[in-house]
Each structure stands twice: as C-alpha cells, then as structure tokens.
C-alpha cells in the first residue's frame, strides 16, 4: 500500500552536485525519487550508491525534449552551473534553461505538480546594490559570455511566474548563491574546487584579477535544507527567495584559508579576471529567514573540511564513502 505522505518526486539534474544530495535527502524522507539527467556535467558516480534503492529510479533524458511522467513534485535543477561548463555550448545552455523550463512547467501543469526552480544569484549580474535583496532587478549584460546562463535563468523565472499567473501552477523559485561541498566536479573551474585541487596537488593557486572580488559560500547541506523548506512552504509563497550564506569573503581570503587547512605550500599566482566577473556578491536572506525560518548554520571552515576530505579521496583514485 502506498504511504499517503509519500510523494513521487522528479529531480532534473539529479546526477549533478546539488541534485545528488537532494535525491539522497528526499529518499531519506521516505519519498519515491525519479532522477532525470543527460549526464552533461553530472555523473553516475554521484548516484551510484542510490541505484539499488527500491524507491530510486534513474532516467537518462535531455529536458529540452518533452517527457511524460506521473509525479506529484518537480525540482528543476538541470543546467550546467559553472562558467566553464555553461559557456562550452552556450546555445544549449539557453535551450536547457528556457525549453527545459517550458517542458517541466508543461509537465507540472498536466499532472498538477508543485514545481521548484533552481535559479541563481547570477540573475543579479554584476550587482550595483549590496547585499542583494530579491527586490533588486539586477545588472546583467544581455550579450556577454555569461548571458546564456544569466538571461536563460531570468527567462526561466519569467516562465515560472507566468505559468503561476496564467495556469495557477504552484511554483517555488530559489535564487541560489555560490554553494560548495562533496561531489563538486573537480574540473568545473569553480573557485572552491579549483583552489582545493590546486592546493592538494601542490600546483599554483590561480587568483583571477586582484583577488579582492567577494563571494559568499554556502555549504551544500544547508542549501538542501532551504530547498526542502521552500518546497514545503504555503502555496501562496512562490519566491523568488535568496538561498545562500551571508558570510562574505574575498577570493584571496578563500585561497589563504584553503592553503592553511590543507597545509599546502602552493604559491598564489594571478590570472586575468574573466569578462563580466561580478565584483561582489552576498545574499540578503531576510526573506528566507522570515518565510522559511531558514538560516545557514555551517561556517566556511566546517564546510571546507569535508569538501577537502572528499577531494583528497577523489585525487587518490579510491571511491569516496559518500559516493
Ligand atoms: P551540476 O552541473 O553538478 O548539475 C547540473 C546537472 O544537470 C548535471 O547533472 C547535468 O548533467 C544536468 N543537465 C544539464 N543539462 C541538462 C539537460 N538539458 N537535460 C538533463 N540534464 C541536464 O551543477 P549544480 O551545481 O548541481 O547545479 C544544479 C542547479 O543549481 C543548476 O540549475 C544551477 O544553475 C543551480 N545553481 C547552482 C549553484 C551552485 O553554486 N552550485 C548556484 C546557483 C544556481
Ligand atoms: N510537456 C511535457 N510533458 C508533459 C506535458 C507537456 O514535456 O507531461 C511539454 C510539451 O511538449 C509542451 C510544453 O511542455 O511543449 C509546454 O506545455 P503546455 O501544456 O504549457 O503548452 P502547449 O502544450 O500548449 O504548448
Ligand atoms: N576565481 C578565481 N580563481 C579560480 C576560479 C575562480 O579567482 O581558479 C574567481 C572568479 O573570478 C570569481 C570567483 O572566484 O570572481 C568565483 O568564481 P566561480 O566560477 O566559482 O563562481 P561565479 O563567478 O559564478 O560566482
């Protein structure tokens, strides 16, 4: 007999960094999980430990094509997330955000499922307002190399709110700020994975620009807790809501922390700042605190410890217990 509280939940991008953690948490809550992924940046390794689970199912599919499934909730995470990956095939990135959103919203509309969108702090572009509240409309270059991602995600937000207004769909839009943790891709060029891998290999730490630009880093467990709270919030609350850790660090400070924690002797080297690289970023999370009673609790050092341990195991070539 089916448990009345058990939901059938689709997680697109479920074999990725965030998606795999989300699948794990949903299974632990007793739900049935359909993990959908085309393995563009995700990997079977991330979900290997879930494949034999009786409530877990893997579907290899690209969300830019329609798909017909019966589910009660959808988390739409499918999209390459790091600048290297999303700029590799920018047209496909926009298609994934826009056509993918249309297909997932069409599916949600047909089965009357509640649907969550993994949006991003990139919708704020290079912000002229600091920290960034949800009411800030952003400063995005629509024709630059980051636009495929930023504008794709902005258009996806538009679609979510139009399906809500036009079709009465229950939507939940999270604007995710930089998140890190085990199962980050070692070659995706993001700053946390780059610095840890470089430090562990004794290679130079690549500081882009002067390293004075800032980011706020959220540990993955805190973020997933925010996802679950947002999905469970009253139907009237659609967001968008910022999810991120307001602790703000310069990129140089992050490099120094990683060096200290790994005991590495890697030198710091400077490289050119990428085009349109935002100078500062910190979430204003007053709305998440008020509506979701969510507050990230894991300090940078406490989150870096398991992340460094994960990359140590990965670089040694032995499977990590978490995988
Ligand atoms: P990731 O690259 O590890 O995961 C994305 C997953 O989507 C991968 O498994 C990939 O194979 C899959 N995918 C890509 N295109 C697809 C398609 N067309 N059809 C089906 N699957 C597809 O990245 P992540 O960090 O886990 O990010 C997950 C989501 O969260 C993304 O939508 C991203 O934009 C968003 N996000 C992440 C961060 C962060 O700091 N990690 C910040 C802001 C937003
Ligand atoms: N769609 C899908 N699965 C479904 C229902 C719809 O993939 O279960 C896709 C469908 O291909 C369509 C898109 O979602 O292109 C948008 O659906 P909607 O019903 O909103 O629009 P329409 O079908 O009228 O274009
Ligand atoms: N960065 C860096 N060295 C690296 C990778 C990134 O200095 O090896 C910088 C990058 O220029 C940016 C910040 O770190 O200012 C965060 O970059 P990431 O790609 O992780 O995320 P995003 O720019 O999307 O926030």
């Amino acid at each position: 007999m089916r448990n009345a509280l058990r939901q059938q939940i689709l997680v697109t991008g479920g074999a990725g960094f965030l998606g795999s953690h989300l699948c794990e948490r949903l299974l632990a809550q007793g739900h049935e999980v359909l993990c959908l992924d085309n393995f563009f940046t995700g990997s079977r390794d991330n979900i290997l430990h879930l494949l034999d689970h009786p409530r877990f199912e893997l579907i290899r599919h690209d969300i830019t094509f329609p798909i017909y499934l019966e589910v009660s909730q959808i988390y739409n995470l499918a999209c390459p997330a790091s600048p290297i990956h999303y700029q590799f095939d920018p047209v496909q990135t926009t298609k994934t955000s826009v056509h993918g959103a249309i297909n997932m919203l069409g599916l949600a509309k047909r089965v009357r499922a509640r649907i969550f969108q993994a949006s991003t702090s990139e919708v704020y572009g290079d912000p002229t307002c600091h920290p960034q509240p949800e009411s800030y409309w952003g400063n995005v270059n629509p024709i630059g190399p980051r636009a495929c991602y930023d504008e794709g995600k902005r258009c996806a937000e538009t679609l979510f709110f139009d399906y809500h207004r036009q079709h009465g769909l229950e939507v939940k839009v999270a604007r995710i700020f930089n998140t890190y943790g085990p199962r980050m891709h070692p070659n995706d060029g993001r700053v946390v994975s780059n610095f840890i891998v470089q430090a562990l290999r004794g290679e130079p730490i690549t500081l882009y620009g002067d390293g004075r630009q800032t980011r706020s880093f959220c540990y993955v467990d805190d973020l997933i807790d925010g996802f679950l709270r947002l999905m469970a919030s009253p139907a009237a609350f659609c967001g968008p809501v910022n999810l991120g850790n307001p602790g703000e660090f310069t990129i140089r400070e992050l490099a120094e922390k990683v060096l200290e924690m790994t005991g590495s002797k890697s030198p710091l080297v400077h490289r050119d700042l990428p085009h349109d690289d935002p100078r500062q970023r910190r979430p204003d999370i007053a709305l998440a605190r008020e509506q979701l009673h969510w507050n990230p609790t894991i300090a940078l050092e406490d989150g870096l410890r398991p992340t460094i341990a994960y990359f140590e195991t990965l670089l040694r070539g032995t499977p990590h217990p978490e995988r």
Side-chain angles (χ1 to χ4, degrees):
M1 205 173 65
R2 194 163 257 180
N3 177 343
L5 294 175
R6 181 186 291 181
Q7 307 249 15
Q8 292 72 51
I9 305 182
L10 173 64
V11 179
T12 77
F17 162 46
L18 298 180
S20 61
H21 286 274
L22 177 62
C23 288
E24 233 168 42
R25 290 280 286 275
L26 293 171
L27 287 171
Q29 289 188 336
H31 300 299
E32 288 172 30
V33 174
L34 270 77
C35 166
L36 182 156
D37 209 294
N38 70 350
F39 298 117
F40 175 53
T41 52
S43 146
R44 279 177 74 88
D45 287 347
N46 286 337
I47 46 162
L48 214 51
H49 60 301
L50 304 178
L51 289 177
D52 287 336
H53 195 293
R55 283 182 276 105
F56 182 80
E57 202 175 325
L58 175 64
I59 305 166
R60 185 176 193 136
H61 178 78
D62 180 331
I63 59 160
T64 61
F65 298 100
I67 186 163
Y68 292 80
L69 300 164
E70 305 310 314
V71 291
S72 49
Q73 286 189 353
I74 302 170
Y75 284 87
N76 186 36
L77 272 63
C79 187
S82 80
I84 288 185
H85 285 152
Y86 70 65
Q87 290 173 25
F88 173 77
D89 184 350
V91 173
Q92 175 66 14
T93 299
T94 303
K95 281 186 188 169
T96 294
S97 281
V98 178
H99 290 182
I102 291 174
N103 288 328
M104 290 307 109
L105 287 160
L107 169 59
K109 181 181 128 200
R110 183 177 59 79
V111 299
R112 301 313 296 174
R114 182 173 277 206
I115 180 167
F116 169 104
Q117 167 67 355
S119 190
T120 167
S121 54
E122 293 282 336
V123 301
Y124 301 125
D126 188 0
T128 53
C129 152
H130 192 74
Q132 295 84 52
E134 291 83 353
S135 53
Y136 177 55
W137 289 353
N139 177 35
V140 173
N141 174 358
I143 57 167
R146 296 175 85 103
C148 58
Y149 184 72
D150 301 8
E151 297 290 16
K153 290 283 188 179
R154 286 170 68 96
C155 183
E157 286 199 9
T158 307
L159 285 161
F160 269 69
F161 278 83
D162 281 337
Y163 269 79
H164 170 66
R165 283 184 288 256
Q166 199 173 327
H167 299 299
L169 224 62
E170 288 185 15
V171 303
K172 304 280 176 186
V173 176
R175 290 185 178 155
I176 305 164
F177 284 64
N178 299 62
T179 301
Y180 69 100
R183 300 197 203 119
M184 288 186 91
H185 198 296
N187 300 322
D188 72 2
R190 284 193 261 196
V191 69
V192 175
S193 42
N194 263 14
F195 285 3
I196 294 176
V197 169
Q198 290 163 345
L200 292 176
R201 287 186 173 146
E203 293 168 359
I205 305 277
T206 51
L207 276 186
Y208 299 163
D210 58 13
R212 283 192 296 171
Q213 70 273 34
T214 68
R215 292 293 186 276
S216 304
F217 300 101
C218 186
Y219 188 64
V220 60
D221 290 359
D222 273 336
L223 185 80
I224 301 298
D225 184 49
F227 284 13
L228 299 175
R229 283 170 188 259
L230 175 56
M231 197 56 140
S233 63
F237 183 65
C238 303
V241 59
N242 290 338
L243 293 179
N245 190 321
E248 184 179 359
F249 298 85
T250 67
I251 296 305
R252 177 180 286 276
E253 284 169 338
L254 175 72
E256 284 162 357
K257 184 142 294 270
V258 168
L259 283 175
E260 177 197 313
M261 290 182 69
T262 53
S264 168
K265 300 274 179 292
S266 288
L268 298 181
V269 294
H270 288 275
R271 296 277 179 271
D272 289 344
L273 193 66
H275 203 252
D276 291 339
D277 197 90
R279 275 165 293 121
Q280 52 180 9
R281 185 182 290 153
R282 169 154 63 99
D284 176 335
I285 60 165
L287 187 65
R289 285 195 175 115
E290 179 198 305
Q291 292 287 333
L292 311 176
H293 310 291
W294 179 78
N295 213 11
T297 55
I298 300 163
L300 183 61
E301 227 172 87
D302 296 330
L304 283 176
R305 216 168 288 117
T307 312
I308 291 169
Y310 168 78
F311 280 112
E312 270 170 345
T313 315
L314 195 71
L315 296 184
R316 273 204 303 272
T318 45
H320 191 271
E322 277 216 33
R323 288 195 100 144

